[in-house]
Amino acid sequence: MGPWGMYLEQIDRVTPYLGDLGRWVETLTRPKKVLIVDVPIELDSGEIAHFEGYRVQHNLSRGPGKGGIRFHQDVTLSEVMALSGWMSIKNAAMNLPFGGAKGGIRVNPKLLSSAEIERMTRRYTSEIHNIIGPSRDIPAPDVNTNEQTMAWMMDTYSVNLGQTTTGVVTGKPISLGGSVGRNEATGRGLFTAGVEAAKKINLEIPGAKIIVQGFGNVGRTAAKLFHEVGSQIVAVMDHTGAVFNSNGIDIVAMGAYVDKTGGVVGFGGAEVLLPGEFWGLNCDIAIPAALERQITKNNADSIKAKLIIEGANGPTTPEADDILREKGALIVPDVLANAGGVTVSYFEWVQDFNSYFWDEDEINHRLERLMKKAFDAIWEVSLQNRTSLRTAAFIIGCSRILQSRQLRGLYP
Ligand code: NAD
């Protein structure tokens, strides 16, 4: 099952809970707009290379599209469509005034120079220029894109339009209208949701053993925040492999090592694991924060964690969801657990419109408040309907989207 198939299955699972709004549910199974673009660039060698780029606007019933841009060799249309659908649900579940969108380029950016990445980013931005904008669709960083990518996107859009338009993307550098706290926001939101979930199952966070897949923006921040309150990060996995230390890894030292070498394998404070050993490790909490479909029917049964906090989008397949639930594990779903990023992106967008910027305490405080509020609402709905937290989040998100759809009506 591809990522879009996985998304459709999740929509099937929520449909019985949507009551009369179920009449509109097909709208969630058809992205509103799909744009596929050719992105040609001149390489440093003088050769010409073509890359395939996408921007999918899944649903715009509640506001402009919002969702990140991914540069990865495995990007497909199915993946971008699924990611855009999850953005619609996430934004609605968090009650942010956005629809859902996502974009990407099928490319391994690790094989390109910085100048080549800049040319590719600018050409891609020009190709999708007509459908993005601060009131239309607002991209942000995702896997292998960062604040520099967003600066190039903002500049390209602004130059083409003839006016500086900071609000066209979020996750920008602070000096270009970015928000303090945005870089850490996804990991911080994950931490807040994780702490709330741990309270519900009486799991003590200090001393808890945690495994983290992905040591990028999300995984690294989450690992750092849990480490700071006394949890033990016993294993970390990234694209180079997995490493383990039963006494807990020194996350600050690992961060410095990864900055220097680009990956966790070879870090002196931990031993290398064999492929396949990672998910079955003894631990209390597992944080998948890399790519989708990492926890599947093939490894779900081996997972020992009582709590799974999804930093990545779509890391758990529906079959794995069922297996984990039967084992009694609690999953904090992606559309809640990693919503901190888009929440602070929302704050950034609001600040850009007002040209008035808040301090970090205010950002973190507001983020924590919204995360706790969303967690409590989803928890309540899951109790009322005896569903997983994922289905509960989908009930809230889908209902809000479909209510907007119904109120707006069909045109003509
Ligand atoms: P990133 O590029 O900063 O980091 C990605 C990490 O995943 C890296 O450590 C990389 O080594 C690792 N990785 C890549 N391929 C892997 C593989 N095959 N096996 C194991 N590890 C692998 O990306 P990020 O921004 O941290 O995003 C990670 C996930 O979180 C994605 O699913 C993304 O959609 C989701 N997410 C990110 C944000 C955000 O604000 N950055 C917000 C919401 C959700």
Side-chain angles (χ1 to χ4, degrees):
M1 186 191 288
W4 179 246
M6 206 174 124
Y7 165 82
L8 290 178
E9 170 133 7
Q10 292 168 345
I11 294 293
D12 271 352
R13 288 180 177 208
V14 73
T15 301
Y17 299 95
L18 296 177
D20 292 346
L21 289 170
R23 177 173 171 244
W24 294 90
V25 79
E26 197 175 339
T27 198
L28 296 171
T29 67
R30 295 173 181 269
K32 182 170 176 61
K33 191 173 281 177
V34 174
L35 184 60
I36 304 178
V37 295
D38 175 36
V39 185
I41 62 158
E42 186 172 342
L43 299 176
D44 295 344
S45 63
E47 280 172 87
I48 307 296
H50 289 258
F51 302 101
E52 191 157 291
Y54 309 92
R55 184 72 186 169
V56 176
Q57 293 172 344
H58 174 263
N59 190 283
L60 306 179
S61 294
R62 291 170 39 85
K66 186 93 196 75
I69 303 281
R70 177 174 295 193
F71 293 169
H72 195 274
Q73 59 276 17
D74 297 334
V75 164
T76 60
L77 181 58
S78 162
E79 181 186 61
V80 181
M81 280 166 54
L83 290 165
S84 71
W86 288 322
M87 285 310 299
S88 296
I89 310 293
K90 186 187 307 179
N91 291 334
M94 291 300 294
N95 214 4
L96 306 178
F98 293 129
K102 200 84 185 191
I105 303 181
R106 190 182 313 134
V107 59
N108 183 350
K110 295 192 165 64
L111 303 178
L112 298 183
S113 69
S114 171
E116 289 167 337
I117 294 174
E118 177 175 355
R119 290 198 287 280
M120 181 182 72
T121 303
R122 288 185 182 278
R123 181 61 189 249
Y124 168 72
T125 307
S126 274
E127 295 295 342
I128 64 168
H129 177 97
N130 285 340
I131 66 164
I132 59 171
S135 309
R136 287 184 172 174
D137 180 3
I138 307 122
D142 191 71
V143 174
N144 291 328
T145 56
N146 54 29
E147 59 176 39
Q148 177 61 76
T149 326
M150 294 305 114
W152 290 327
M153 289 192 76
M154 188 279 267
D155 182 68
T156 307
Y157 181 85
S158 300
V159 170
N160 283 339
L161 196 67
Q163 65 186 59
T164 295
T165 310
T166 53
V168 64
V169 290
T170 58
K172 298 179 293 294
I174 288 165
S175 58
L176 289 179
S179 178
V180 289
R182 172 61 184 89
N183 247 336
E184 289 208 331
T186 308
R188 190 171 285 282
L190 183 152
F191 175 76
T192 303
V195 169
E196 293 304 300
K199 283 185 207 158
K200 300 287 186 193
I201 56 170
N202 297 320
L203 174 64
E204 286 285 326
I205 292 290
K209 289 189 184 300
I210 303 183
I211 61 173
V212 182
Q213 187 198 38
F215 200 68
N217 176 293
V218 181
R220 182 170 170 169
T221 307
K224 189 191 96 183
L225 293 173
F226 279 105
H227 179 70
E228 278 171 9
V229 295
S231 305
Q232 284 189 327
I233 314 300
V234 291
V236 176
M237 178 184 192
D238 74 358
H239 69 285
T240 61
V243 297
F244 170 73
N245 181 337
S246 58
N247 297 318
I249 292 169
D250 179 342
I251 290 300
V252 178
M254 175 174 267
Y257 179 80
V258 169
D259 285 341
K260 219 165 48 194
T261 65
V264 298
V265 167
F267 173 61
E271 61 188 84
V272 176
L273 289 172
L274 291 173
E277 279 183 315
F278 179 79
W279 291 111
L281 289 172
N282 227 342
C283 66
D284 303 299
I285 301 177
I287 303 179
L291 298 170
E292 55 272 6
R293 290 186 298 157
Q294 298 299 303
I295 304 179
T296 66
K297 61 178 187 317
N298 301 328
N299 58 17
D301 206 31
S302 71
I303 290 182
K304 313 268 188 314
K306 305 175 203 56
L307 178 62
I308 292 129
I309 322 170
E310 295 185 337
N313 285 304
T316 313
T317 65
E319 297 101 320
D321 243 350
D322 293 341
I323 295 170
L324 287 165
R325 206 156 174 242
E326 266 165 39
K327 282 166 59 106
L330 178 64
I331 303 182
V332 186
D334 48 7
V335 291
L336 170 64
N338 70 30
V342 71
T343 302
V344 175
S345 274
Y346 165 53
F347 298 160
E348 179 175 336
W349 181 73
V350 168
Q351 292 171 86
D352 284 341
F353 267 122
N354 294 323
S355 295
Y356 181 77
F357 292 87
W358 314 339
D359 64 27
E360 194 159 354
D361 273 354
E362 178 156 12
I363 298 274
N364 290 346
H365 181 69
R366 284 180 190 252
L367 170 63
E368 193 180 336
R369 201 155 49 94
L370 288 193
M371 290 300 306
K372 283 186 175 167
K373 195 170 161 190
F375 182 92
D376 289 344
I378 291 167
W379 185 264
E380 271 314 303
V381 169
S382 85
L383 290 185
Q384 278 161 18
N385 294 283
R386 294 165 189 247
T387 65
S388 65
L389 291 181
R390 189 184 318 283
T391 299
F394 270 62
I395 293 174
I396 294 177
C398 294
S399 301
R400 287 192 178 134
I401 297 168
L402 298 179
Q403 265 156 13
S404 304
R405 178 70 277 166
Q406 177 165 277
L407 286 166
R408 289 177 66 157
L410 291 180
Y411 174 83

